[in-house]
Amino acid sequence: SRQFCVGGNWKMNGDQKSIAELCKILSAGPLDPNTQVYVGVPAPYLIYVRSLLPETINVAAQNCYKVEKGAFTGEISPAIIKDTGAGWVILGHSERRQIFKESDELIAEKVEHALAAGLKVVACIGETLDEREANKTQEVVARQMCAIAQKVKDWTNVVVAYEPVWAIGTGKTATPEQAQEVHAYLRQWLTENISKEVAATLRIQYGGSVTGANAKDLAKKPDIDGFLVGGASLKPEFVQIVNARQ
Ligand code: 13P
């Protein structure tokens, strides 16, 4: 069975003071020991957050570049992330895709390199409102998965986050049924295109306006293996979301 996995994506928020307060709350928990937890931190705070949290809480970067080092001003490599003590990286977030125009192919290359460097990867996918309304949800998530799958040989260190763009930061959560439908489709896609084993073991998180109030119902769905949380991950409420299966 798949271990429940909840991540917080702090995005471009926080300062040393607010981060120290949040880390105190997370450290106190108590967090369900059966749930795997990570927090996605602005890069300059990776070392700081790693020093403030217990080892049971994983630290993630929110992006990285696709090569190990060199003349890439402003970028960070998987090797640098590892050197900070963080073990995870979130890749392909819809904000990277939309605002920074990252392509399916670039994201796949980043996933490949981050895995090769020994990081655990959260690979984000999801359709826009226009795509959903045009009944293209399955086509879009399949295209995004396909690009990633071409670069992944071993899925052990991959978590997929399904984040419908229309649900991100809007307060419009997908209903448990809407999320379950896409998660089940992704598992079917994995069965047909990768293997039964990967389909059965790969964790698929849901993201998009997850709160303490709606997490429990979403967590009951058989193919929802956790959450990627934005806004609510900056609040004490994140503890409740981590504990949604309790
Ligand atoms: P919100 O939880 O703020 O909707 O953000 C979701 C998200 O983008 C997590 O990566």
Side-chain angles (χ1 to χ4, degrees):
S1 78
R2 299 178 295 269
Q3 187 184 19
F4 204 65
C5 180
V6 175
N9 179 4
W10 295 354
K11 307 192 180 182
M12 197 173 70
N13 294 295
D15 54 25
Q16 292 189 57
K17 186 166 178 277
S18 67
I19 286 173
E21 283 164 14
L22 185 53
C23 286
K24 217 173 176 182
I25 290 164
L26 299 183
S27 303
L31 305 180
D32 184 341
N34 296 316
T35 298
Q36 189 174 39
V37 181
Y38 64 88
V39 287
V41 173
Y45 298 128
L46 285 168
I47 292 177
Y48 181 54
V49 172
R50 185 60 287 164
S51 76
L52 293 176
L53 290 177
E55 286 297 325
T56 48
I57 302 179
N58 297 285
V59 176
Q62 300 173 7
N63 184 28
C64 69
Y65 196 51
K66 62 175 175 175
V67 294
E68 195 184 327
K69 62 178 177 174
F72 302 99
T73 302
E75 293 297 307
I76 61 172
S77 67
I80 291 172
I81 295 168
K82 279 196 78 174
D83 192 49
T84 69
W88 292 55
V89 64
I90 299 168
L91 291 171
H93 191 278
S94 68
E95 288 147 20
R96 299 300 318 171
R97 293 175 184 268
Q98 295 202 310
I99 305 170
F100 302 100
K101 309 285 181 246
E102 291 193 10
S103 65
D104 289 341
E105 197 196 4
L106 175 61
I107 292 159
E109 287 174 330
K110 290 181 175 193
V111 170
E112 179 181 35
H113 187 70
L115 289 172
L119 290 176
K120 296 193 192 301
V121 169
V122 181
C124 306
I125 61 172
E127 83 287 1
T128 63
L129 183 60
D130 283 353
E131 290 163 343
R132 172 160 286 255
E133 286 177 346
N135 283 319
K136 290 197 167 143
T137 298
Q138 293 191 352
E139 182 186 322
V140 170
V141 297
R143 188 200 75 222
Q144 293 168 331
M145 279 300 296
C146 194
I148 294 163
Q150 280 174 17
K151 301 287 186 188
V152 175
K153 281 165 210 88
D154 180 353
W155 291 81
T156 314
N157 290 326
V158 181
V159 174
V160 167
Y162 167 61
E163 302 202 294
V165 180
W166 48 271
I168 295 179
T170 57
K172 270 191 164 192
T173 323
T175 63
E177 292 70 31
Q178 279 175 321
Q180 168 59 26
E181 186 184 15
V182 178
H183 286 227
Y185 169 73
L186 289 168
R187 240 178 261 295
Q188 181 199 324
W189 186 92
L190 290 163
T191 305
E192 288 165 5
N193 294 278
I194 310 294
S195 71
K196 259 192 173 161
E197 209 224 320
V198 170
T201 53
L202 180 67
R203 274 90 56 80
I204 307 176
Q205 297 179 306
Y206 166 77
S209 299
V210 175
T211 64
N214 60 33
K216 271 198 182 299
D217 279 344
L218 286 158
K220 283 181 191 142
K221 291 295 179 188
D223 291 303
I224 299 180
D225 305 315
F227 304 113
L228 182 48
V229 186
S233 74
L234 297 164
K235 303 180 198 162
E237 181 181 351
F238 185 66
V239 172
Q240 272 172 261
I241 301 173
V242 168
N243 296 336
R245 278 260 170 105
Q246 274 184 335

